Amino acid sequence: MRSPFRPATPPDPRILDDHRALIGSIERRNLLRGGLSLGALTMLTGCDVNEASSVQRALLSISRFNDRVQAALFDPDKLAPEYPKSMVLKPPRFNAYYEIEKVKPVDGESWRLELAGFISDRRSWTRQQMAELPQREMVIRHICVEGWDYIGEWSGVPLRTFLERVGADLTARYVAFRTADDYPSSIDMATALHPQTLLSTAYAGAVLPDPFGYPLRLRTSTKLGFKNPKWITAIEVTNTYRGGYWEDRGFNWHSGL
Ligand SMILES: Nc1nc2c(c(=O)[nH]1)N[C@H]1C(S)=C(S)[C@@H](COP(=O)(O)O)O[C@H]1N2
Ligand SMILES: [Mo]
């Protein structure tokens, strides 16, 4: 908020230069037509934008506002398009915040899925136990913010089925994920309960290859690629906003339908 101790000196416009990516993402979402000026930013947020850290905070608060609007528009009954299996890309296209050579395979035998937060049975799960749950398969389009996409065939247990089985509080706001490569991620409960949101263990009918999230990754049909954490090690049901790897760097948290 505006500091009572600071004189109202005109801010240095160069202060925005460090935040071009975040500003670009806000502008692309049409939240601020005609570009973002420091004056507009101060007016919109009531923040003192003389400091780089408060610029960052102001931009993130605009981004969060947009998230709330988008979450309100989310229609849980709207299904994303599915495609014929003949269109499935084999192998899928890899992406992560590092190169494919740096992928550290997860050992499926010692792997456990840990549970936390508003869940009544927080015992951990093995691969075998996950495989015994009801499975679903879907052929959907994966879209990355970098501007590429592919059609993939994913199978696994619907996240809704899993959350019901462990006694999760389905009225909580968020489902958050931790992963073996330190890529935190979180989604709203409506998306978690969507019929096309899976805890996926297979691609094109075969066990997930290491680069694509073995043994367990999230696969949503209503979210951009970066909201699909791979190599999941823990799930938390929470009312606390947990952000995510790219979200904490300015990407829109909702990023989807
Ligand atoms: N754990 C983890 N999950 C991740 C990422 C990552 O770096 N680490 N990258 C995300 C991004 S940006 C994309 S586009 C997809 C890529 O998934 P794919 O390799 O299965 O196509 O994974 C997402 N999930
Ligand atoms: Mo992505």
Side-chain angles (χ1 to χ4, degrees), residues 95-96 142-148 183 224-228 246:
N95 198 22
H142 171 123
I143 301 167
C144 177
V145 281
E146 291 173 351
W148 48 268
Y183 183 89
L224 289 176
F226 77 85
K227 301 220 47 116
N228 292 266
W246 288 114

Side-chain angles (χ1 to χ4, degrees), residues 92-98 142-145 148 150 154 179 181 183 211-212 217 219 225-231 246:
R93 177 162 173 173
F94 172 83
N95 198 22
Y97 65 92
Y98 43 84
H142 171 123
I143 301 167
C144 177
V145 281
W148 48 268
Y150 67 85
W154 304 92
T179 70
D181 66 338
Y183 183 89
F212 303 101
R217 61 96 47 88
R219 198 48 263 194
F226 77 85
K227 301 220 47 116
N228 292 266
K230 306 194 273 191
W231 310 288
W246 288 114

